[in-house]
Amino acid sequence: MAKPKKRYVCQVCGSVQSRWQGQCPDCNEWNTLVEDAGAVVTPFSARHNLRGGGQTVQLVGLDADIPLPERTSTGIREFDRALGGGIVPGSATLIGGDPGIGKSTLLLQAAARIAGRGLDVAYISGEEATDQVRLRARRLGLGGAPVKLASATSVRDILTTLTDGKPPSLLVIDSIQTMHSDLIEGAPGTVSQVRASAGELIRFAKETGTAVVLVGHVTKDGSIAGPRVLEHMVDTVLSFEGERSHQYRILRAAKNRFGGTDEIGVFAMGEDGLDEVGNPSALFLTHRGDSVSGAVVFPALEGTRPVLVEIQALTVRLASGATPRRAVVGWDSGRLAMILAVLEARCGLSFSTAEVYLNIAGGYKISDPAADLAVAAALVSALSERPVAAEAVAFGEVALSGELRPVSHGGLRLKEAAKLGFERALVPSTLKEEKGGLALTGFRTLGEMVDSLLGRG
Ligand code: TYD
Ligand code: MG
């Protein structure tokens, strides 16, 4: 007999647990499990199975001529780039990001550009009144764009309105967590409401050919369902990232059924909205003139797009025997500890009486292991107060043995550095010579590089 059973749903990742726990065992977030409406559990019985009585499904081959999906440009090149070329009609796209990062601004700008080309665009805000959106549009210089605007939270009202007449080319829902479906119970923002509302909107997209873009706030406390509960339902997942205190923003594809996920779009939040940044390296490099000790430029990779960033290290000698501090911004502190240990054990440099501060300029975050060599060079330079030549970049992975390992896309990194006027690259000696105008200085081990930086023979 089927009987209702209590279940608990994580408001961040949507996993279902049979009992309440303080921490979600799937995504490890705290206090995110909430009791959900009882699910009907049908006990398994071997006497019933699904192997008969249905219709036969046609099975076909992989090779057939199918047209590539057409795409609608958003009118914003960096946005198109992250989408893989533009928005696909009839697709569902989710844009996730922290509150205040600029999702509404980006979508309003895109909506206005698309509407300006004569396409029908509906922008539904569940968070702001129409006048607030109008004010923002005016401030962005988009007041005249023929976007159809509404403030609504009932999915039934929205779809009733849009089904009346020709469906729009683009429908923006800002945000999915404010939407409410009257088919099921529960307050807006809960996992079941977010899923049900999104499901209806996605069905509308598939049936009418309207491209639907859903905004999803990422929340740390799990008080409302995060965008992760929707990731499997939509065609494309974009995340909008950045530090609110810094102006740059990165739009990154986490999933894309119509394109790759290795492209990013780079923006800067300015006085009048988001500006496209065609040359991201310029954003993260501080003014480079004279060489300063402790600063090394690293050609990072974002997908397949190189971005030059400056790594800054500072060491302060301690007089007393106090435990020295290690502080890192924008890099992994465990990895810093490892590089310090390798420098100490393999290269004879001691940081044990020095405080170490490491910072990635511009609020940028690096997770690429290729940064090891640049970080090591910055640390050695800071400790010895000998600058690394300003026209040099460095990259390579450092092994615990002190050996240097080659990294992916060396050629791309070198090309970007050459484009920005750098002349020399400190790299693992295994890196093959690339044509591109940069002189390569190869090292087999970290020790060799330290010797070279310190002028030891
Ligand atoms: P918003 O698009 O409302 O963020 P989200 O929808 O992701 O919550 O952007 C909010 C922030 O952006 C706000 O703190 C102010 C800032 N901002 C600017 O700096 N310049 C601008 O032109 C606009 C419109 C916003
Ligand atoms: Mg918003």
Side-chain angles (χ1 to χ4, degrees), residues 98-105 136 139-140 217 269-273:
D98 291 333
I101 209 73
K103 301 180 294 296
S104 304
T105 307
R136 183 199 303 240
R139 206 152 53 78
L140 297 171
H217 291 297
M269 182 61 94
E271 287 284 290
D272 41 7

Side-chain angles (χ1 to χ4, degrees), residues 66-72 84-89 91 256-259:
I66 37 156
L68 284 175
E70 47 172 321
R71 291 174 186 274
T72 307
I87 296 192
V88 176
S91 69
N256 194 348
R257 286 187 184 149
F258 306 113

Side-chain angles (χ1 to χ4, degrees), residues 97-109 123 127-128 136-137 139-140 174 215 217 240 244 249 269-274:
D98 291 333
I101 209 73
K103 301 180 294 296
S104 304
T105 307
L106 177 69
L107 289 174
L108 192 59
Q109 284 178 284
Y123 186 105
E127 304 194 331
E128 291 165 296
R136 183 199 303 240
R139 206 152 53 78
L140 297 171
D174 187 2
V215 170
H217 291 297
F240 207 29
R244 241 191 300 176
R249 304 280 183 270
M269 182 61 94
E271 287 284 290
D272 41 7
L274 289 157

Side-chain angles (χ1 to χ4, degrees), residues 153-160 179-181 196-198 200-201:
T153 57
S154 159
V155 178
R156 186 182 293 279
D157 292 352
I158 294 167
L159 293 184
T160 304
M179 293 296 137
H180 178 261
S181 157
S197 302
E200 270 314 298
L201 291 161

Side-chain angles (χ1 to χ4, degrees), residues 32 42 59 70 83 105 152 173-174 180 190 210 294 348 393 418:
T32 57
T42 313
L59 300 169
E70 47 172 321
L83 283 165
T105 307
I173 300 289
D174 187 2
H180 178 261
T190 54
T210 296
V393 298

